[in-house]
Amino acid sequence: ETPWRWPLKAEEYDRYGRQIILPGFGTDGQLRLRASRVLLVGAGGLGCPAAAYLAGAGIGRIGIVDGDVVEASNLHRQIAHSTSRVGVFKAESLIAHLRDLNPLVQYTAYTTHLTPQNAEEIVSQYDLVLDCTDHPTSRYLISDTCVLLEKPLVSASALRTDGQLIVLNAPVGSQGSMKGGPCYRCVFPVPPPAESLTSCGEGGVLGPAVGTMGVLQAGEAIKVLLKGKGWLESEVEDVRPSLMLFSSPLLGGVSMRTVRMRGRRKDCFACGEGSKLSLASLKDGSTDYVAFCGGKGGATVNVL
Amino acid sequence: ETPWRWPLKAEEYDRYGRQIILPGFGTDGQLRLRASRVLLVGAGGLGCPAAAYLAGAGIGRIGIVDGDVVEASNLHRQIAHSTSRVGVFKAESLIAHLRDLNPLVQYTAYTTHLTPQNAEEIVSQYDLVLDCTDHPTSRYLISDTCVLLEKPLVSASALRTDGQLIVLNAPVGSQGSMKGGPCYRCVFPVPPPAESLTSCGEGGVLGPAVGTMGVLQAGEAIKVLLKGKGWLESEVEDVRPSLMLFSSPLLGGVSMRTVRMRGRRKDCFACGEGSKLSLASLKDGSTDYVAFCGGKGGATVNVL
Amino acid sequence: MVTATENAQLRVVVEFSGGLEMLFSDQKRHVISIPTTDENGKPVTVAYLIEYLCKNVMKDSRKELFVLDSQIRPGILVLINDADWELEGEEKYAIQNGDNILFVSTLHGG
Amino acid sequence: MVTATENAQLRVVVEFSGGLEMLFSDQKRHVISIPTTDENGKPVTVAYLIEYLCKNVMKDSRKELFVLDSQIRPGILVLINDADWELEGEEKYAIQNGDNILFVSTLHGG
Ligand SMILES: [Zn+2]
Ligand SMILES: [Zn+2]
């Protein structure tokens, strides 16, 4: 019998052939995805579609963090869960769907919320993070952890009929350096006052609006992984990412607008020159995310 | 026991609450969706996400037309199918997923391709059609049927890293009248030569690109249904729909661009003044879609 | 006598998104005309525009959802011609005729 | 003697999408300069631009994927400043300085 001489297995060529033939993708791209580990924080309206397209594309390992259980009110937009799994942890419910979609991927469920105490342990096992959560508290925590562990972060959000998307820490740069992309705090240094926050429960959300954002998030994650470490020196300096603004009003068509954001902030609390943020300070609780975000959060966080 | 006095059942308020509270949606909107019947032609890369968000939103009845069976090479982008359902008809596989997502919807699978012979019988049972197919032959057939049966049509397509979306026959107008939105033939009167066509198999497709288009298609369908017959007289004259152009290149961010298309064409083969197209001529084969599209099509059509 | 300069106006397109439009009569796009110079004869800035919007365009009484301590409240991005205003000098940016100023409420749902 | 008019050029942004860019060096956006008038002294039209693109910009030899029988091939949309060219007079439209002309190949995959 002739030994198999190809970098991918036959079933992988079969399953991924339609993306491998894309110009600029190739077998190398597929190998890169297979060697990658991606963490999704939040298995809700963003996490469901994002995880499905990442699993479909053949990411090597996918981790899902979510401490909530599936509720019927989630199902209009959280399309990888199901009525028969109401009451099941979302991280496990989502993985049940993903495992049947693509059994070649390795999956890990974390049936807990991300906390300053468990963040390092979990995030350190992955190469890229998707923020699919729904509260500033978790958004700042995820970003800080990604700065400290030098992970690129694909951050999306949605409310009502609008959505936003930005790729942060890409390329990654070390804390205190001005090289690399900005972090969440560089772009949004001060959280909005708690009283201005509208949650999905209060404000409502259109399924296809949050769904579009989740699918786009998967697309941006795939691109960051395909690019790998292939950044030109010029692309590492003064990185000004695009913020994508999406809108799908009930009485009009869809629109998408791209705006240019600032680069790294020299005095950024997390990634700036004199930053005191460390894995130790994260864990010992000296950064109080709930207080920083105006005292709301924690127990009331519901992932869309 | 007090009789239930509300227009929706308790479980419906629970399940759809997060969209009902959207400004402009309301209980009326939910009732409208529940009273609607939507047909998706194609259960592939567009149909999977489109159907999931429509089922989630609580459309009353959903029909799925697709004569193909699930293959492993579909699963990187057709995220409502699964590895355990490889070999199953796509229409049935998709409905298996939808039924567990939302059992309150009524589903019908048509495990056949849409043909000039069966199109009237199938399409006449629905209020709105989504074109989720992947070949000009089916696109012209679907549009012609929608003109004859006066159904609005949400048409999307994708290839490689690009996508396109347009809402046609909205508002609907009768054949021969200049009122109402244009049909597919008004906008694209001549099909591309067969040799310029690239199929998904040949050209490849990025999962999140086609996925985005499918999700957006669901969003536009929901908006058309919410609007119902509530068109102003001024909105019925000289309707110039937007064509949405989406792009997600592997080496760049996403972009979306909206361009203004023409309205109804007086001499349109399907909806124009002297049109000879009729349900009878459709059925007796005098409109040869395969020949019109340059002799390709039929058996070689593969839905992305 | 009123000079031509005092009469001159700048045409500015002001847009709101991410829910902020709800504070401005549910209208996402406003085309407004403002004077070229302020009461001291200086070219008008984004700071002037913000005050102008609060006084003349905003019907909603909840000013604090837009401006806090006479600054744009945290959680609102200001984009000048599709670039973060921090790249343009923030509230000191001198408005040019035809500028597009976009105010976006950052979203956190997901 | 060459007059100023003969020297004058129009700056046009030409874009390709839907895969058509593959015929134009894989470049989606081209900023080109064309004369204001053709050899007969008439203002240049979109028809002129299309011929110009075939001769001067397109490197790919498969001209028939762009032009068939000296017309844009079926399946390609032409947008003039984001509007279907049928709304603007099709190939007879007289190009203005700064115009944006977008050629889009219609997609059928799904
Ligand atoms: Zn930072
Ligand atoms: Zn027509």
Side-chain angles (χ1 to χ4, degrees), chain B residues 134 158 257 260 262 265 304, chain D residues 15 82 84 86 105 108-110:
Chain B
D134 81 336
R257 181 165 173 170
R260 182 69 49 193
R262 56 162 299 140
R265 193 184 285 274
L304 268 191
Chain D
E15 295 183 89
D82 284 343
D84 189 348
E86 298 206 17
S105 181
H108 301 90

Side-chain angles (χ1 to χ4, degrees), chain B residues 143-144 147 169 181-187 263-272:
Chain B
S143 174
D144 288 354
V147 165
N169 300 339
C183 78
Y184 191 77
R185 286 191 195 258
C186 291
V187 180
R264 278 202 171 200
R265 193 184 285 274
K266 231 190 176 100
D267 61 353
C268 174
F269 173 87
C271 74

Side-chain angles (χ1 to χ4, degrees), chain A residues 143 147 169 181-187 263-265 268-272:
Chain A
S143 174
V147 165
N169 300 339
C183 77
Y184 191 77
R185 286 191 195 259
C186 291
V187 180
R264 278 200 171 202
R265 193 182 284 273
C268 174
F269 173 86
C271 74

Side-chain angles (χ1 to χ4, degrees), chain A residues 256-271:
Chain A
M256 195 185 277
R257 181 165 173 169
T258 294
V259 296
R260 184 67 52 190
M261 300 310 295
R262 55 161 300 141
R264 278 200 171 202
R265 193 182 284 273
K266 229 188 177 97
D267 62 351
C268 174
F269 173 86
C271 74

Side-chain angles (χ1 to χ4, degrees), chain A residues 174-198:
Chain A
S174 41
Q175 195 185 25
S177 143
M178 283 299 280
K179 293 197 177 181
C183 77
Y184 191 77
R185 286 191 195 259
C186 291
V187 180
F188 308 109
V190 184
E195 56 278 15
S196 76
L197 285 182
T198 311

